Amino acid sequence: MNPLTYLYAPGDHPDVVLKALGSGADVVIIDLEDAVPSDRKNYALAATAELLALPQPLPVHVRINSPQDIETLTGLPGLCALRVPKVAHGTDIRRIADRAPGVPLHPLLESAVAIEHAYDIAAAHPAVRGISLGEADLRADLGVRDGASLDWPRSRIVVAARAAGLPPPSQSVFPDIRDLDALYASCTHGRALGFLGRAAIHPRQLPVIERAFLPTPEEIEAAEEVVKAAAGDEGALALPDGRFVDAAIVAAAERTLSLARRETF
């Protein structure tokens, strides 16, 4: 299944992590980095290790903060992947992959240098399973405020992920947990740029994100028409309404239907 919703939970609050596991999110991300005060880092790591000593009901990623996190968590049965913040070069990921053999890695690109090395990071190691932006840090590094000013870096990582054979990136978190209309608008914009799914910081954001990224009934109907028309015909053709259909359009229609069924494509 293609995940659409990723819910962050602070590692120093095990009760919040447990609620996140029952929230309906596709993936839970336990945060050991920015969400945890410095004097609670050790406690957060110990609590996370205790939880992940057992298998979990859904995929759990951990956003790491230090090399000790890698050493403590690698090999635990409940760990699905590590989220690696502030990656700037492919060598950063290769070093971590060597320290965490067999663990899927998801680099977070949060600086101008990282954006310039997006493909190098995406293709750095077979352990890399996806890339995404850390937009708050990137916005600060670039000195910009308007979200639209990040559209070029957003498109850059979409292209880098595709070129490296990775799934489409998920969008960075939307910081306002009350303005769900703005969240939906931001998600539809991200979908238009090529993103798939989004990280959330509150459970109320999850259904909005899912609704924004799942195909609409009209999109499903159009995709079914394309796939049906193309069945048994490998060449280009025109639909009765005049739309031209070729192999690329058929492939896109098949991806739409796979997403509607929540299948991997």
Side-chain angles (χ1 to χ4, degrees), residues 7-59:
L7 181 60
Y8 273 97
D12 62 330
H13 290 279
D15 56 330
V16 177
V17 174
L18 290 176
K19 289 179 181 178
L21 289 169
S23 66
D26 295 328
V27 176
V28 167
I29 305 173
I30 301 177
D31 193 0
L32 300 181
E33 196 210 14
D34 289 347
V36 179
S38 58
D39 61 348
R40 290 176 63 84
K41 298 286 190 187
N42 289 338
Y43 170 70
L45 176 57
T48 300
E50 181 179 357
L51 174 72
L52 298 184
L54 297 173
Q56 297 302 311
L58 71 161

Side-chain angles (χ1 to χ4, degrees), residues 209-227:
I209 294 169
E210 185 170 285
R211 179 166 56 93
F213 282 97
L214 282 175
T216 65
E218 294 77 15
E219 289 170 332
I220 294 171
E221 182 180 359
E224 289 174 338
E225 184 179 5
V226 167
V227 171

Side-chain angles (χ1 to χ4, degrees), residues 35 56 61 67 101-102 117 127 130 154 169 195 207 210 254 257 259 262:
Q56 297 302 311
H61 297 188
H117 294 98
R154 290 166 179 157
F195 286 87
E210 185 170 285
E254 290 173 340
L257 297 179
L259 179 58
R262 300 304 304 276

